[in-house]
Amino acid sequence: MMLANDQDEEGLGSTAYNAEAGRVDVRFADSISLKTTALVIAASDKAGMKGAPRDRINEIIARESKGSLFMQRAHHLAEKDGEKIQSLLQRLNEKDDQSDNWRVSMCEDTIDPQLERYRSQRKKVSTRVVVDLDSFFISCHILDNPELDESPCCVGGPKMISTSNYKARRYGVRAAMPGFIGQVLVKELSGGSECLTFVKSDFKLYHSKSAEVKAILQEYDKTLKMC
């Protein structure tokens, strides 16, 4: 059996493709699973979080989020999504029971021809390149004030974090996380030796640094356009 979406012990519910049976097995999420789905974004790993104490981070996030209006709404939505997913997977299994090779036929008869048609119609007029400026907002502040990088810090406030430096990420602090949870993570996981520093957003600074990056890229392509 090959797991398609494996999860931790508390789990968010999972599905698995059973190669021997040629079908999808539904692992129905329990009440704990449904209550933790809202934490996926805040708890998922980013660059710089390797080796972070994942179990303790998840425990603190769940504890600090318990009972909030956000979590109550997220639990409700998760239950609805879970019902839809289970219904779709059931339909998928029923289709597998009716035909052994319908996926292959659909790819060969429908999807592949469509992709080829789209490729033939596409105008090759430009090349698109994605340049990822890692932890961009907080990095802009650190360039102007290197001392910030000596301790856990982030751009945002107690309500929401937009990005964090790598020292903060070691404690599980990341973008799209409420700042008050980030404060608790740093305090508890450091044993009280460190605290999270909040830096106020400065979009004038971000525009300036972005322009510097654009200028460097334009040295290689004078026709460069940024989206």
Side-chain angles (χ1 to χ4, degrees), residues 136-208:
F136 179 61
F137 287 177
I138 192 63
S139 294
C140 290
H141 292 282
I142 291 172
L143 285 172
D144 283 358
N145 185 7
E147 292 182 358
L148 281 173
D149 208 27
E150 296 177 2
S151 60
C153 65
C154 65
V155 172
K159 290 185 178 180
M160 187 56 61
I161 293 171
S162 60
T163 188
S164 60
N165 70 344
Y166 275 49
K167 286 188 180 296
R169 292 184 185 185
R170 294 173 188 169
Y171 297 113
V173 179
R174 53 154 297 156
M177 171 181 285
F180 74 90
I181 293 180
Q183 287 177 308
V184 176
L185 284 170
V186 173
K187 181 178 180 180
E188 290 196 16
L189 296 178
S190 70
S193 63
E194 294 192 286
C195 62
L196 182 63
T197 300
F198 292 115
V199 180
K200 187 177 180 180
S201 298
D202 184 346
F203 287 94
K204 184 177 180 180
L205 172 65
Y206 310 148
H207 284 301
S208 173

Side-chain angles (χ1 to χ4, degrees), residues 69-110:
L69 292 176
F70 168 78
M71 288 300 296
Q72 291 175 26
R73 181 174 181 275
H75 296 165
H76 175 72
L77 293 176
E79 290 176 353
K80 294 296 183 182
D81 290 342
E83 292 173 0
K84 291 179 182 178
I85 291 171
Q86 291 167 8
S87 175
L88 290 171
L89 288 172
Q90 186 61 40
R91 288 171 57 188
L92 185 61
N93 284 335
E94 291 173 357
K95 196 168 182 64
D96 284 339
D97 291 337
Q98 297 171 5
S99 175
D100 293 333
N101 63 344
W102 68 271
R103 290 183 177 84
V104 175
S105 298
M106 184 174 66
C107 288
E108 294 178 346
D109 300 337
T110 304

